Structures are given as C-alpha cells and as structure tokens.
Amino acid sequence: MEFLEAAKEAALAAGQVLEEWAGKFTVSEKGPADLVTEADVAAQNAIVSVLQPRFPQHGFLGEEGLRHAAGVGDFRWIIDPLDGTTNYVHRFPYYAVSIALEQAGELVAGVIYDPSKRELFAARRGAGATLNNQPLQTSRFQRLRDAMVIASFPPNAKSDSSPLKRFLHVINHAQTVHRSGSAALNLAYVAAGRLDGYWSTSLKAWDMAAGVLIAREAGGRATRMDGSLLDLAIPDILCTNGTALHEELSLRLGEVESGTAP
Ligand code: IPD
Ligand code: CA
Ligand code: CA
C-alpha cells in the first residue's frame, strides 16, 4: 500500500510540474521527430525527489537518463515522466506521467496520471485497478469489427514500414483504428474500457510497465503480438480487454508478419 500511495504522490507532483512548464518550455530533438523538453527532466526530478528518500535501497530506471541499481532487495521503479511529449509540445491534451514498481521482475504497482483531465489510473498487483479511486473494468467487445483499437508508431515512422502496414491491415477489419501519441494513456484507456485493444512494436519498458499492470488488473490481457509472454525489455506488445478479441487481433497482426494479409 505504501508503494502505491508514494507512486500516486510522485505522479501528482510530476503532473503539476508539467502544467507549470506548459507554454514556457523549449523543445530539443533526441532523434528525428523524437522530442524532449525541460519539462520531461523537471518532472522526472520531481518523481525521484518523492520516491528516493523514501526508498533509498530501490533501483530506478527513468527515460531521462535515470539509472540506479537496487541496493538491497529486488525493487525497481520504472518511470516515464512525460509519455506523449509530442502531444505536450503541441498542447494536445493527451499525455501522462507513468510510474511502475517491479519486484524481482514482477510488476507490483503502477500509476498513470493525466494532468489535463486530472485522471489518476492506479493498480496494485492482485488488488484491481482504479481511476480516481473508482474501480476499473475493461470493455466486453469481443469481435474486431465491433472494436475501437489503437496503435503506437515509432517516432518518424515511414509509410512503407511494418507498423504502418499493420495499421492499414487492421483498418480493414476493425470498427475504428486510432493513433494517439501516448502509449501509457492508451493502456490506461484499455483498462478503463474506453478502448478495446492496443499494439506497438516500438515501446520501451517505461512506456508500458504501469499501463500493463493497470490493464491486467482491470481484466485486460497483455502479451506479445503473437500471444506469447510479454517481456518489458522487448518492444512487442498487444493489450486488449481480455476477450476473444485478443486472439483475433493477434491473428490479423500476424497476417502482416507472415505476408498472408490480402
Ligand atoms: C512515445 C509515446 C508514443 C509512442 C512512442 C513513444 P514519449 O513516448 O508513447 O505513443 O509511439 O514510441 O516513444 O517519447 O512521448 O515519452
Ligand atoms: Ca514514452
Ligand atoms: Ca517520455
């Protein structure tokens, strides 16, 4: 319980930092179309200043150059201080703070905070998921043709790349397909039943860790795209509402891989 409460406190502090920086940040490119601002770094600092004094023996992995091995025990915080930087830069209100805690490689707590809507998604392993303290449940749409699904692309994705081919193939079979710019919120929205499925082959552990736990605790399922065991170190995720939609979406995505997509 103390871990989740600390993560919530850290996420709210980071969210406040993001809103304070809005309108005054400057933008740099880490790579082509891969943006970072002072707000990313300031938000990460805010998170660390809440968590590190409380858990000095824990390890830390954060997107903005944060790497600390665990002292005693196997705890590690996995942090994306601002997921959706491109949206943030354009003032498109779909970005979030993402904080997860793993113990010996198992996700035990996760928090995603959307400061634009003041929505705090949270989960503790085995205890369900919540949005602003109200229980969450995934949607029940079972067929792709009834589903609203979403994908993430790598920054600077090209029109002839596999992620775009998958996107275009799924468009032929789903009710609606979106791209939004925040992996963490996509996963939180699957948990909340606002989206039915999500996939990506470009994520890092900090993009998905908290969202995976929140989605699973809300009844969702997260695997690799072919249905095998998810590994946060490998950029390959399919997360759905946990119905038969998972197998159908996995099949459609696989058709692009195997070259059997019409
Ligand atoms: C990005 C977002 C985006 C995904 C990219 C990520 P960032 O994270 O999650 O949805 O498509 O692969 O890098 O850079 O905004 O933290
Ligand atoms: Ca991210
Ligand atoms: Ca980020």
Side-chain angles (χ1 to χ4, degrees):
M1 193 61 151
E2 58 159 339
F3 297 141
L4 189 61
E5 290 312 311
K8 286 182 180 177
E9 194 182 313
L12 292 171
Q16 192 175 337
V17 168
L18 295 179
E19 294 317 87
E20 282 164 8
W21 270 99
K24 58 179 182 182
F25 55 78
T26 52
V27 185
S28 321
E29 273 192 324
K30 289 180 177 175
D34 190 4
L35 308 183
V36 64
T37 71
E38 298 93 334
D40 296 70
V41 177
Q44 182 169 284
N45 290 342
I47 294 165
V48 171
S49 68
V50 172
L51 297 178
Q52 206 163 33
R54 254 176 251 187
F55 310 112
Q57 302 294 345
H58 288 187
F60 284 83
L61 170 69
E63 181 172 14
E64 304 313 327
L66 176 64
R67 308 276 184 281
H68 283 308
V72 180
D74 268 332
F75 287 101
R76 183 172 70 149
W77 293 93
I78 305 176
I79 297 163
D80 192 340
L82 170 51
D83 185 67
T85 299
T86 306
N87 286 344
Y88 178 78
V89 164
H90 290 271
R91 307 305 301 138
F92 183 82
Y94 195 81
Y95 52 86
V97 180
S98 176
I99 303 174
L101 179 65
E102 64 172 20
Q103 182 182 20
E106 293 259 30
L107 294 165
V108 292
V111 168
I112 293 173
Y113 179 53
D114 171 353
S116 310
K117 298 192 188 61
R118 301 200 175 174
E119 290 192 324
L120 183 65
F121 302 85
R124 199 156 48 87
R125 189 180 174 80
T130 56
L131 165 54
N132 292 346
N133 294 318
Q134 298 303 310
L136 284 183
Q137 173 67 57
T138 54
S139 67
R140 296 292 94 198
F141 293 107
Q142 301 203 16
R143 295 177 309 184
L144 192 49
R145 70 168 184 266
D146 300 322
M148 177 179 281
V149 295
I150 192 157
S152 283
F153 305 144
N156 208 26
K158 296 290 179 260
S159 57
D160 59 351
S161 61
S162 298
L164 268 292
K165 286 181 186 158
R166 281 186 214 106
F167 188 82
L168 292 174
H169 182 53
V170 175
I171 276 182
N172 293 327
H173 300 281
Q175 187 176 78
T176 308
V177 187
H178 289 305
R179 178 206 192 177
S180 70
S182 169
L185 277 185
N186 294 345
L187 290 163
Y189 275 36
V190 171
R194 297 172 181 176
L195 291 169
D196 310 310
Y198 167 63
W199 72 93
S200 177
T201 52
S202 58
L203 301 187
K204 299 284 202 304
W206 49 72
D207 299 312
M208 38 180 172
V212 162
L213 183 66
I214 294 167
R216 283 177 174 160
E217 288 294 329
R221 185 170 168 209
T223 65
R224 293 177 67 166
M225 288 195 312
D226 66 3
S228 61
L229 202 65
L230 183 75
D231 181 343
L232 292 180
I234 298 172
D236 178 351
I237 182 171
L238 169 63
C239 179
T240 69
N241 58 13
T243 70
L245 177 68
H246 200 90
E247 285 78 21
E248 190 183 353
L249 194 46
S250 172
L251 189 83
R252 292 301 180 196
L253 293 165
E255 285 173 347
V256 178
E257 259 9 83
S258 63
T260 54

PDB file of all heavy atoms in Angstrom, residues 40 63-64 79-85 96 98 181-184 203-204 206-208, ligand 2:
ATOM      1  N   ASP A  40      10.186  17.377 -19.324  1.00  0.00           N
ATOM      2  CA  ASP A  40      10.427  15.932 -19.147  1.00  0.00           C
ATOM      3  C   ASP A  40      11.400  15.705 -17.981  1.00  0.00           C
ATOM      4  O   ASP A  40      11.188  14.854 -17.114  1.00  0.00           O
ATOM      5  CB  ASP A  40      11.050  15.319 -20.416  1.00  0.00           C
ATOM      6  CG  ASP A  40      10.136  15.373 -21.631  1.00  0.00           C
ATOM      7  OD1 ASP A  40       9.896  16.471 -22.169  1.00  0.00           O
ATOM      8  OD2 ASP A  40       9.659  14.297 -22.057  1.00  0.00           O
ATOM      9  N   GLU A  63      13.264   7.370 -18.172  1.00  0.00           N
ATOM     10  CA  GLU A  63      13.604   7.660 -19.571  1.00  0.00           C
ATOM     11  C   GLU A  63      14.681   8.725 -19.705  1.00  0.00           C
ATOM     12  O   GLU A  63      15.541   8.634 -20.588  1.00  0.00           O
ATOM     13  CB  GLU A  63      12.365   8.107 -20.373  1.00  0.00           C
ATOM     14  CG  GLU A  63      12.765   8.382 -21.813  1.00  0.00           C
ATOM     15  CD  GLU A  63      11.625   8.652 -22.762  1.00  0.00           C
ATOM     16  OE1 GLU A  63      10.495   8.892 -22.328  1.00  0.00           O
ATOM     17  OE2 GLU A  63      11.905   8.625 -23.973  1.00  0.00           O
ATOM     18  N   GLU A  64      14.649   9.733 -18.820  1.00  0.00           N
ATOM     19  CA  GLU A  64      15.587  10.844 -18.992  1.00  0.00           C
ATOM     20  C   GLU A  64      16.921  10.576 -18.290  1.00  0.00           C
ATOM     21  O   GLU A  64      17.344  11.308 -17.385  1.00  0.00           O
ATOM     22  CB  GLU A  64      14.935  12.158 -18.523  1.00  0.00           C
ATOM     23  CG  GLU A  64      13.618  12.469 -19.213  1.00  0.00           C
ATOM     24  CD  GLU A  64      13.651  12.311 -20.755  1.00  0.00           C
ATOM     25  OE1 GLU A  64      14.702  12.559 -21.372  1.00  0.00           O
ATOM     26  OE2 GLU A  64      12.624  11.913 -21.320  1.00  0.00           O
ATOM     27  N   ILE A  79      10.101   4.528 -14.819  1.00  0.00           N
ATOM     28  CA  ILE A  79       9.471   5.860 -14.855  1.00  0.00           C
ATOM     29  C   ILE A  79       9.530   6.485 -16.244  1.00  0.00           C
ATOM     30  O   ILE A  79      10.595   6.586 -16.853  1.00  0.00           O
ATOM     31  CB  ILE A  79      10.214   6.794 -13.865  1.00  0.00           C
ATOM     32  CG1 ILE A  79      10.064   6.252 -12.434  1.00  0.00           C
ATOM     33  CG2 ILE A  79       9.704   8.230 -13.974  1.00  0.00           C
ATOM     34  CD1 ILE A  79      11.069   6.830 -11.459  1.00  0.00           C
ATOM     35  N   ASP A  80       8.371   6.901 -16.743  1.00  0.00           N
ATOM     36  CA  ASP A  80       8.338   7.825 -17.877  1.00  0.00           C
ATOM     37  C   ASP A  80       7.693   9.110 -17.360  1.00  0.00           C
ATOM     38  O   ASP A  80       6.480   9.161 -17.134  1.00  0.00           O
ATOM     39  CB  ASP A  80       7.535   7.254 -19.056  1.00  0.00           C
ATOM     40  CG  ASP A  80       7.754   8.085 -20.311  1.00  0.00           C
ATOM     41  OD1 ASP A  80       8.180   9.245 -20.178  1.00  0.00           O
ATOM     42  OD2 ASP A  80       7.491   7.577 -21.412  1.00  0.00           O
ATOM     43  N   PRO A  81       8.496  10.148 -17.160  1.00  0.00           N
ATOM     44  CA  PRO A  81       7.945  11.353 -16.525  1.00  0.00           C
ATOM     45  C   PRO A  81       6.955  12.093 -17.403  1.00  0.00           C
ATOM     46  O   PRO A  81       6.090  12.820 -16.910  1.00  0.00           O
ATOM     47  CB  PRO A  81       9.180  12.225 -16.278  1.00  0.00           C
ATOM     48  CG  PRO A  81      10.203  11.735 -17.252  1.00  0.00           C
ATOM     49  CD  PRO A  81       9.927  10.269 -17.438  1.00  0.00           C
ATOM     50  N   LEU A  82       7.075  11.895 -18.722  1.00  0.00           N
ATOM     51  CA  LEU A  82       6.129  12.516 -19.665  1.00  0.00           C
ATOM     52  C   LEU A  82       5.997  11.585 -20.868  1.00  0.00           C
ATOM     53  O   LEU A  82       6.906  11.518 -21.703  1.00  0.00           O
ATOM     54  CB  LEU A  82       6.623  13.907 -20.089  1.00  0.00           C
ATOM     55  CG  LEU A  82       5.889  14.586 -21.247  1.00  0.00           C
ATOM     56  CD1 LEU A  82       4.390  14.614 -21.046  1.00  0.00           C
ATOM     57  CD2 LEU A  82       6.414  16.017 -21.434  1.00  0.00           C
ATOM     58  N   ASP A  83       4.918  10.844 -20.912  1.00  0.00           N
ATOM     59  CA  ASP A  83       4.667   9.994 -22.076  1.00  0.00           C
ATOM     60  C   ASP A  83       3.684  10.740 -22.978  1.00  0.00           C
ATOM     61  O   ASP A  83       2.562  11.059 -22.562  1.00  0.00           O
ATOM     62  CB  ASP A  83       4.077   8.644 -21.649  1.00  0.00           C
ATOM     63  CG  ASP A  83       3.928   7.731 -22.851  1.00  0.00           C
ATOM     64  OD1 ASP A  83       4.960   7.334 -23.418  1.00  0.00           O
ATOM     65  OD2 ASP A  83       2.784   7.455 -23.243  1.00  0.00           O
ATOM     66  N   GLY A  84       4.139  11.009 -24.198  1.00  0.00           N
ATOM     67  CA  GLY A  84       3.332  11.835 -25.100  1.00  0.00           C
ATOM     68  C   GLY A  84       3.939  13.220 -25.248  1.00  0.00           C
ATOM     69  O   GLY A  84       3.216  14.220 -25.320  1.00  0.00           O
ATOM     70  N   THR A  85       5.260  13.277 -25.297  1.00  0.00           N
ATOM     71  CA  THR A  85       5.926  14.586 -25.367  1.00  0.00           C
ATOM     72  C   THR A  85       5.480  15.380 -26.599  1.00  0.00           C
ATOM     73  O   THR A  85       5.288  16.599 -26.518  1.00  0.00           O
ATOM     74  CB  THR A  85       7.457  14.407 -25.361  1.00  0.00           C
ATOM     75  OG1 THR A  85       7.826  13.767 -24.144  1.00  0.00           O
ATOM     76  CG2 THR A  85       8.179  15.746 -25.430  1.00  0.00           C
ATOM     77  N   ALA A  96       0.845  11.923 -20.284  1.00  0.00           N
ATOM     78  CA  ALA A  96       0.707  11.435 -18.917  1.00  0.00           C
ATOM     79  C   ALA A  96       2.053  11.135 -18.280  1.00  0.00           C
ATOM     80  O   ALA A  96       3.062  10.970 -18.960  1.00  0.00           O
ATOM     81  CB  ALA A  96      -0.144  10.167 -18.920  1.00  0.00           C
ATOM     82  N   SER A  98       3.961   8.280 -16.060  1.00  0.00           N
ATOM     83  CA  SER A  98       3.811   6.836 -15.863  1.00  0.00           C
ATOM     84  C   SER A  98       4.877   6.334 -14.889  1.00  0.00           C
ATOM     85  O   SER A  98       6.074   6.544 -15.109  1.00  0.00           O
ATOM     86  CB  SER A  98       3.947   6.128 -17.215  1.00  0.00           C
ATOM     87  OG  SER A  98       3.887   4.726 -17.027  1.00  0.00           O
ATOM     88  N   GLY A 181      -0.460   9.031 -29.708  1.00  0.00           N
ATOM     89  CA  GLY A 181       0.749   9.684 -29.215  1.00  0.00           C
ATOM     90  C   GLY A 181       1.092   9.454 -27.755  1.00  0.00           C
ATOM     91  O   GLY A 181       2.073  10.016 -27.278  1.00  0.00           O
ATOM     92  N   SER A 182       0.323   8.646 -27.027  1.00  0.00           N
ATOM     93  CA  SER A 182       0.730   8.285 -25.661  1.00  0.00           C
ATOM     94  C   SER A 182       0.418   6.817 -25.396  1.00  0.00           C
ATOM     95  O   SER A 182      -0.746   6.442 -25.195  1.00  0.00           O
ATOM     96  CB  SER A 182       0.038   9.148 -24.605  1.00  0.00           C
ATOM     97  OG  SER A 182       0.271   8.593 -23.315  1.00  0.00           O
ATOM     98  N   ALA A 183       1.463   6.016 -25.374  1.00  0.00           N
ATOM     99  CA  ALA A 183       1.308   4.587 -25.111  1.00  0.00           C
ATOM    100  C   ALA A 183       0.705   4.354 -23.728  1.00  0.00           C
ATOM    101  O   ALA A 183      -0.176   3.507 -23.552  1.00  0.00           O
ATOM    102  CB  ALA A 183       2.669   3.910 -25.208  1.00  0.00           C
ATOM    103  N   ALA A 184       1.190   5.117 -22.745  1.00  0.00           N
ATOM    104  CA  ALA A 184       0.725   4.913 -21.370  1.00  0.00           C
ATOM    105  C   ALA A 184      -0.782   5.163 -21.272  1.00  0.00           C
ATOM    106  O   ALA A 184      -1.522   4.361 -20.685  1.00  0.00           O
ATOM    107  CB  ALA A 184       1.485   5.838 -20.418  1.00  0.00           C
ATOM    108  N   LEU A 203       7.943   0.229 -28.202  1.00  0.00           N
ATOM    109  CA  LEU A 203       7.934   0.780 -26.841  1.00  0.00           C
ATOM    110  C   LEU A 203       9.133   0.341 -26.013  1.00  0.00           C
ATOM    111  O   LEU A 203       9.701  -0.727 -26.223  1.00  0.00           O
ATOM    112  CB  LEU A 203       6.657   0.357 -26.116  1.00  0.00           C
ATOM    113  CG  LEU A 203       5.338   0.775 -26.761  1.00  0.00           C
ATOM    114  CD1 LEU A 203       4.191   0.433 -25.833  1.00  0.00           C
ATOM    115  CD2 LEU A 203       5.319   2.247 -27.123  1.00  0.00           C
ATOM    116  N   LYS A 204       9.463   1.177 -25.060  1.00  0.00           N
ATOM    117  CA  LYS A 204      10.452   0.858 -24.030  1.00  0.00           C
ATOM    118  C   LYS A 204       9.696   0.450 -22.755  1.00  0.00           C
ATOM    119  O   LYS A 204       8.494   0.716 -22.626  1.00  0.00           O
ATOM    120  CB  LYS A 204      11.322   2.084 -23.747  1.00  0.00           C
ATOM    121  CG  LYS A 204      12.103   2.581 -24.952  1.00  0.00           C
ATOM    122  CD  LYS A 204      13.279   1.648 -25.197  1.00  0.00           C
ATOM    123  CE  LYS A 204      14.423   2.250 -25.986  1.00  0.00           C
ATOM    124  NZ  LYS A 204      14.082   2.803 -27.281  1.00  0.00           N
ATOM    125  N   TRP A 206       9.585   1.780 -19.915  1.00  0.00           N
ATOM    126  CA  TRP A 206       8.918   2.869 -19.188  1.00  0.00           C
ATOM    127  C   TRP A 206       7.617   3.317 -19.854  1.00  0.00           C
ATOM    128  O   TRP A 206       6.781   3.930 -19.217  1.00  0.00           O
ATOM    129  CB  TRP A 206       9.865   4.061 -18.995  1.00  0.00           C
ATOM    130  CG  TRP A 206      10.584   4.492 -20.244  1.00  0.00           C
ATOM    131  CD1 TRP A 206      10.061   5.129 -21.318  1.00  0.00           C
ATOM    132  CD2 TRP A 206      11.974   4.310 -20.523  1.00  0.00           C
ATOM    133  NE1 TRP A 206      11.025   5.352 -22.264  1.00  0.00           N
ATOM    134  CE2 TRP A 206      12.224   4.867 -21.795  1.00  0.00           C
ATOM    135  CE3 TRP A 206      13.052   3.737 -19.813  1.00  0.00           C
ATOM    136  CZ2 TRP A 206      13.489   4.866 -22.391  1.00  0.00           C
ATOM    137  CZ3 TRP A 206      14.307   3.743 -20.406  1.00  0.00           C
ATOM    138  CH2 TRP A 206      14.520   4.291 -21.669  1.00  0.00           C
ATOM    139  N   ASP A 207       7.440   3.014 -21.149  1.00  0.00           N
ATOM    140  CA  ASP A 207       6.180   3.362 -21.815  1.00  0.00           C
ATOM    141  C   ASP A 207       5.047   2.443 -21.372  1.00  0.00           C
ATOM    142  O   ASP A 207       3.885   2.811 -21.391  1.00  0.00           O
ATOM    143  CB  ASP A 207       6.304   3.207 -23.338  1.00  0.00           C
ATOM    144  CG  ASP A 207       7.360   4.098 -23.953  1.00  0.00           C
ATOM    145  OD1 ASP A 207       7.367   5.292 -23.643  1.00  0.00           O
ATOM    146  OD2 ASP A 207       8.183   3.589 -24.754  1.00  0.00           O
ATOM    147  N   MET A 208       5.396   1.184 -21.074  1.00  0.00           N
ATOM    148  CA  MET A 208       4.339   0.181 -20.881  1.00  0.00           C
ATOM    149  C   MET A 208       4.186  -0.369 -19.466  1.00  0.00           C
ATOM    150  O   MET A 208       3.119  -0.925 -19.154  1.00  0.00           O
ATOM    151  CB  MET A 208       4.459  -0.969 -21.879  1.00  0.00           C
ATOM    152  CG  MET A 208       5.808  -1.461 -22.245  1.00  0.00           C
ATOM    153  SD  MET A 208       5.716  -2.827 -23.454  1.00  0.00           S
ATOM    154  CE  MET A 208       7.444  -3.001 -23.861  1.00  0.00           C
TER     155      MET A 208
HETATM  156 CA    CA B   2       7.144   7.330 -23.521  1.00  0.00          CA
END
